[in-house]
Amino acid sequence: MPESYKTILVDHPDPTVTRITLNRPQFLNAYNHQLCEETSDAVDRYMKDDSQRCLVITGAGRGFCAGGDISRTEPPEARAVRYAKQIGRGVEMRDGFHRIVVALARCDKPVVASINGPCVAGGLTLALACDFRVASDQARLGDTSGKFALLPDEGGAWLFPRAMGLDKALKMTLLAEVYDAHEAERLGLVTMVVPHGELEAKTLEFARRLADRAPLAVRMAKRMMVRSADMTLERSLQDAELAVMIANPADDVNEGRAAFREKRKPVFKGR
């Protein structure tokens, strides 16, 4: 499918870093069904390629993602057919944008959102589905779905409260609030804010640092932290016991110790 991508660009700014660029700049990279299919496919390819250790997701032009594309028009009769059954809209979401959110949730390798501009509604959901969010100081983030009598149905109802707390998430969604990058950082929506002109360089610097870490340890640590959110402390410790049995015998552990003794940078190979 890569050679037939029409709504995204995929490149490798570093040998171990994959970058997906949402490429519908004329619509502020609002998603449609094709973009969802192509992004899901690209995320899946990243997950399966052990040579790739970090994924960056960004947007072309002046925006990250404006959520769903509500600019599309269709004849009333076509809309009537599409919504003839109540389940139709649910299936459209499940087979569309929800696929991206689930794919990112299942990914045990690092994912960084590089937020270059407007990041609202489903776009904010996409950013929060990533592990880290590096935002331009010109970015704006929030949930505008309420302006159109729509819902945070792309995953925002789950992700927003976990990022900023229930009261702040409700306020953002019910009042359709959008924040500047620094306020978004204060609220917990952004990991770091950088000057707009340095966004690409700073994001790739961060991605390379992640990619340089021991791949097995990174993947196991991410799994442990994600899983522990739904565990008691005792169950989390039991999970850690199993993870140690997998990670500690790895060659990378010996490499890390040797590099420390020899005062050099370790070269991790993921085994």
Side-chain angles (χ1 to χ4, degrees), residues 192-252:
M192 67 181 82
V193 179
V194 301
H196 183 73
E198 300 176 18
L199 177 64
E200 181 177 3
K202 292 290 187 183
T203 301
L204 291 181
E205 177 186 354
F206 184 54
R208 290 188 184 103
R209 289 176 60 195
L210 291 167
D212 280 345
R213 312 312 297 167
L216 180 59
V218 167
R219 297 177 77 163
M220 295 301 296
K222 180 177 174 179
R223 286 189 183 190
M224 289 169 63
M225 290 193 183
V226 170
R227 286 163 56 88
S228 69
D230 297 318
M231 290 181 176
T232 63
L233 172 60
E234 186 171 356
R235 287 187 59 196
S236 179
L237 291 173
Q238 291 169 349
D239 192 54
E241 293 168 10
L242 295 175
V244 163
M245 293 165 64
I246 297 172
N248 280 24
D251 291 344
D252 279 347

Side-chain angles (χ1 to χ4, degrees), residues 30-49:
Y31 68 83
N32 58 14
H33 189 72
Q34 185 173 15
L35 183 143
C36 292
E37 283 192 334
E38 294 178 357
T39 303
S40 297
D41 182 76
V43 171
D44 186 58
R45 290 173 182 273
Y46 162 69
M47 289 172 60
K48 293 177 179 178
D49 187 347

Side-chain angles (χ1 to χ4, degrees), residues 119-162:
C119 173
V120 296
L124 180 58
T125 299
L126 175 61
L128 290 174
C130 301
D131 301 310
F132 308 97
R133 286 153 297 284
V134 182
S136 153
D137 58 7
Q138 296 181 18
R140 293 181 60 80
L141 303 90
D143 184 15
T144 55
S145 58
K147 287 185 176 181
F148 308 99
L150 297 172
L151 302 172
D153 53 9
E154 295 107 334
W158 194 91
L159 288 163
F160 297 165
R162 283 165 171 77

Side-chain angles (χ1 to χ4, degrees), residues 8 17-18 20 29 44 48 55 63 82 88 116 122 131 138 141 144 157 173 184 186 190-191 210-211 235 237 256 266:
I8 66 172
V17 176
T18 297
I20 297 172
N29 301 311
D44 186 58
K48 293 177 179 178
L55 172 65
R82 190 156 60 87
N116 53 311
D131 301 310
Q138 296 181 18
L141 303 90
T144 55
T173 293
R186 188 187 70 79
V190 167
T191 309
L210 291 167
R235 287 187 59 196
L237 291 173

